[in-house]
């Protein structure tokens, strides 16, 4: 099978149209979560979380938004292996990505080590915003995976 023969499953429903009140609340939550954080950092966190959750729609959207926020192709391409990409991401970014991964893979909780690392790089209010970005993108991923939202659509 070639790449051109691979087709995605059709979308299941139009979430925004079907539950507009919930959708608007999610949009407001997303906007509130981002407040005061560097837009490029937010996009990195949202892309990494979307990779972990297998959300093609969000990954596509946030990669495009990351480029608009000034991210380079190299940093976008290396994001799945950020642990091994020494020198590509700042310590602050690495702390945010580690926190995002543990919040996404919540089964074992967020370790004291990862939390302390993030707390060392973010003021308390920023850390709360970062946690908010993490749980918001996880919610978006779950909505879009469940409804099979098609990448590149509105």
């Amino acid at each position: 099978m070639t790449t051109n023969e691979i087709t995605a499953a059709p979308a299941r429903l139009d979430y925004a149209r079907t539950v507009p009140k919930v959708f608007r609340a999610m949009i407001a939550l997303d906007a509130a979560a981002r407040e005061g954080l560097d837009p490029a950092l937010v996009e990195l966190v949202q892309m990494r979380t979307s990779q972990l959750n297998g959300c093609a729609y969000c990954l596509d959207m946030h990669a495009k938004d990351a480029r608009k926020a000034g991210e380079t192709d190299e940093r976008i391409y290396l994001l799945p292996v950020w642990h091994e990409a020494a020198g590509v991401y700042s310590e602050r970014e690495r702390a945010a990505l580690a926190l995002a991964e543990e919040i996404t893979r919540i089964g074992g909780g967020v370790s004291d080590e990862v939390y302390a690392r993030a707390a060392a790089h973010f003021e308390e209010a920023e850390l709360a915003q970062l946690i908010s970005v993490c749980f918001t993108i996880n919610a978006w991923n779950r909505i879009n995976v469940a409804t099979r939202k098609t990448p590149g659509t509105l």
Side-chain angles (χ1 to χ4, degrees):
M1 179 177 284
T2 66
T3 303
N4 292 337
E5 294 172 341
I6 298 171
T7 57
R12 291 179 169 151
L13 63 85
D14 181 343
Y15 189 83
R17 182 185 54 76
T18 307
V19 287
K21 197 172 185 179
V22 175
F23 185 76
R24 285 191 305 272
M26 282 295 299
I27 294 289
L29 177 63
D30 187 72
R34 296 167 172 261
E35 285 182 14
L37 292 175
D38 172 33
L41 176 69
V42 169
E43 298 306 334
L44 286 174
V45 165
Q46 291 181 321
M47 282 188 301
R48 183 61 186 138
T49 301
S50 298
Q51 290 168 348
L52 295 172
N53 287 327
C55 185
Y57 178 83
C58 289
L59 183 56
D60 176 65
M61 180 176 70
H62 293 295
K64 290 171 183 172
D65 290 347
R67 283 189 181 94
K68 290 177 191 170
E71 279 302 337
T72 64
D73 286 344
E74 176 188 35
R75 285 168 48 91
I76 291 170
Y77 299 152
L78 290 174
L79 192 57
V81 292
W82 69 268
H83 293 275
E84 291 80 28
V88 175
Y89 304 97
S90 71
E91 285 304 312
R92 179 178 166 92
E93 291 166 336
R94 294 171 71 78
L97 291 168
L99 181 65
E101 285 187 359
E102 287 204 1
I103 289 172
T104 300
R105 298 174 175 146
I106 199 71
V110 175
S111 70
D112 290 340
E113 177 186 335
V114 166
Y115 188 87
R117 181 177 176 193
H121 290 279
F122 294 89
E123 298 292 327
E124 187 174 71
E126 286 180 308
L127 184 56
Q129 292 298 130
L130 180 59
I131 291 168
S132 300
V133 166
C134 292
F135 70 69
T136 303
I137 190 59
N138 272 285
W140 278 122
N141 290 164
R142 281 149 178 78
I143 291 166
N144 292 325
V145 167
T147 62
R148 291 188 182 147
K149 181 84 171 158
T150 305
T153 63
L154 295 178

